[in-house]
Amino acid sequence: MLEKLNEIERLGLDALEAVRDEAALEAWRVAHLGRSSALMQLFNGFGQLTKEERPMVGQRANEVKKVLEAAFGARSEEMRQAALKRSIEQERLDVTLPGRRVPLGRLHPDTQILRELYRIFGEMGFQVYRSREVESDEYNFQLLNFPVGHPARDMQDTYFVESEGRGDNPIVLRTHTSPGQIHAMREVAALNPHNPPPVRIVLPGMVYRYEQVDARHETQFDQIEGLAVGLGITFSNLKGTLADLARRLFGQNVRTRFRASFFPFTEPSAEFDIECFLCGGKGCTVCGGGWLEIGGCGMVHPVVLRNGGYDPERYTGFAFGLGSQRIAMLRYRINDIRYFWENDLRFLEQF
Ligand code: PHE
């Protein structure tokens, strides 16, 4: 019996030496440790042994089983390590595999157009100024000459922030970048209250309106406000600035137009349009009638100048508020404003 066990052990260990792959390893396990292996058969035949034989044979049989199991474990770990090493070596050596593309982020088209606008306005002498997105009713409306209850407030359907006990001065998400005009003027005027220095800023940022969404309207969009206040500033300066902007963006032959309009904080007021390149001026879902409305503009209203700390008897100024997405739409031929914030990579990857 003991000799038989020795042989089982030797045969098993020898056979394991020859094992080279996973399948052979599994076959070995079945043959040498499986239910019908010689070793297991021997365990089953225990009953036939004499009382004296049993302890010795039993002890030795368990020993052989442990030895074979340990050898199996060691061999399978060895093979696993070898496979790992092979795969690492292969990876190191196979220079013919195509490289993996690193996905590169890129600037959002709106960021791109804003940066271009900062550059152009920078060349014209405007500085970038930023102000808050969450405003008080006072700054968003009242100081801009929209008194409480003024019907012109309906032009800008407003998101109110829950804020109790503020009466006629609730907190709102700014509906336009124009409240920044007051912040900027007050900040600059404070430098020298009796003789306030001139202001020449552009003021970019998100604005929010509770609006019907369509191809050219979103509830959230970027505006870029412009403000120039100083001595002797005229409507011609405003027209020249915006016409020049359009030429710098779209070339010498671009057509622009100003339409008379109304805003409480400018007088006179106008709407600034650029011809629609998407349809070649024929009229499409984006522009409607061949011209795309880019924004509002006008001469700063005397009440607003005064609220900003500038004496309207001495100072004049112009202001404009442009939709930067509208400009990007013309620039990049985007025919629906809703694409901007959908975060669809198929759109974003085109820029
Ligand atoms: N704030 C106005 C709007 O959002 C645009 C505007 C800005 C008009 C500055 C005139 C002067 O509709």
Side-chain angles (χ1 to χ4, degrees):
M1 233 3 150
L2 289 177
E3 231 151 77
K4 180 115 193 277
L5 276 167
N6 290 341
E7 188 183 305
I8 287 175
E9 185 183 49
R10 191 171 45 77
L11 283 178
L13 293 175
D14 284 353
L16 197 56
E17 285 296 311
V19 163
R20 289 277 169 275
D21 57 44
E22 289 288 327
L25 187 66
E26 175 60 10
W28 183 93
R29 193 190 60 76
V30 172
H32 295 270
L33 289 168
R35 212 179 309 148
S36 43
S37 63
L39 183 63
M40 292 304 153
Q41 295 294 335
L42 199 135
F43 272 107
N44 292 340
F46 241 49
Q48 285 139 37
L49 296 177
T50 65
K51 256 198 181 139
E52 294 73 39
E53 280 176 317
R54 256 181 234 172
M56 256 223 296
V57 174
Q59 197 190 4
R60 178 67 184 133
N62 277 322
E63 222 174 77
V64 170
K65 186 164 173 260
K66 280 217 186 82
V67 167
L68 291 182
E69 278 171 355
F72 172 80
R75 185 81 185 121
S76 81
E77 176 60 18
E78 224 171 82
M79 283 174 49
R80 208 179 61 78
Q81 293 292 347
L84 196 69
K85 203 170 141 209
R86 263 199 311 279
S87 83
I88 290 172
E89 262 163 17
Q90 264 165 13
E91 211 173 324
R92 201 186 298 139
L93 289 180
D94 192 349
V95 293
T96 63
L97 279 175
R100 289 196 195 107
R101 259 181 75 176
V102 181
L104 270 189
R106 57 192 87 204
L107 292 177
H108 192 281
D110 190 49
T111 305
Q112 293 187 30
I113 202 76
L114 280 172
R115 291 193 177 177
E116 188 167 350
L117 291 169
Y118 302 156
R119 184 181 57 73
I120 292 174
F121 282 121
E123 284 171 8
M124 296 184 190
F126 289 84
Q127 266 179 290
V128 175
Y129 180 88
R130 291 179 191 272
S131 80
R132 58 188 70 149
E133 288 183 25
V134 180
E135 272 294 359
S136 61
D137 185 280
E138 183 188 15
Y139 273 86
N140 196 79
F141 293 119
Q142 295 165 37
L143 293 169
L144 292 171
N145 204 24
F146 290 86
V148 173
H150 193 287
R153 290 181 176 222
D154 290 349
M155 290 164 79
Q156 303 181 356
D157 290 313
T158 309
Y159 283 112
F160 291 90
V161 176
E162 265 185 52
S163 48
E164 264 171 58
R166 294 182 54 95
D168 283 337
N169 192 19
I171 305 288
V172 302
L173 298 186
R174 68 176 171 195
T175 58
H176 52 174
T177 41
S178 300
Q181 290 187 26
I182 303 286
H183 290 295
M185 278 190 279
R186 287 186 171 180
E187 203 172 309
V188 178
L191 298 172
N192 187 354
H194 297 295
N195 218 354
V199 177
R200 211 178 277 189
I201 55 148
V202 286
L203 201 166
M206 275 290 166
V207 302
Y208 303 86
R209 291 188 199 174
Y210 184 60
E211 242 178 331
Q212 182 72 45
V213 173
D214 65 25
R216 68 197 134 141
H217 294 97
E218 259 284 21
T219 54
Q220 170 183 346
F221 55 100
D222 253 307
Q223 278 193 338
I224 183 161
E225 186 90 6
L227 177 68
V229 176
L231 301 172
I233 290 181
T234 68
F235 198 91
S236 319
N237 298 138
L238 169 62
K239 280 189 81 174
T241 302
L242 290 182
D244 192 33
L245 168 72
R247 283 194 293 267
R248 290 184 193 229
L249 281 168
F250 300 112
Q252 285 303 314
N253 299 323
V254 64
R255 298 204 301 153
T256 56
R257 73 176 184 190
F258 289 81
R259 275 179 295 122
S261 185
F262 172 80
F263 299 99
F265 41 92
T266 46
E267 180 59 36
S269 303
E271 214 83 58
F272 177 60
D273 300 344
I274 298 182
E275 69 180 307
C276 179
F277 308 123
L278 298 169
C279 59
K282 286 197 285 288
C284 64
T285 50
V286 177
C287 64
W291 295 85
L292 191 59
E293 187 188 311
I294 300 295
C297 60
M299 298 306 289
V300 181
H301 195 285
V303 167
V304 175
L305 284 172
R306 184 168 292 117
N307 289 338
Y310 286 77
D311 177 2
E313 298 293 328
R314 292 171 60 206
Y315 292 88
T316 54
F318 68 73
F320 54 81
L322 312 178
S324 61
Q325 270 103 74
R326 296 277 182 90
I327 296 173
M329 287 167 86
L330 287 179
R331 176 89 184 177
Y332 304 125
R333 305 187 153 271
I334 298 165
N335 60 15
D336 197 313
I337 200 168
R338 285 167 290 199
Y339 288 132
F340 281 93
W341 314 121
E342 263 175 3
N343 279 340
D344 187 331
L345 281 180
R346 289 170 301 179
F347 171 73
L348 297 174
E349 280 175 344
Q350 293 178 44
F351 302 93

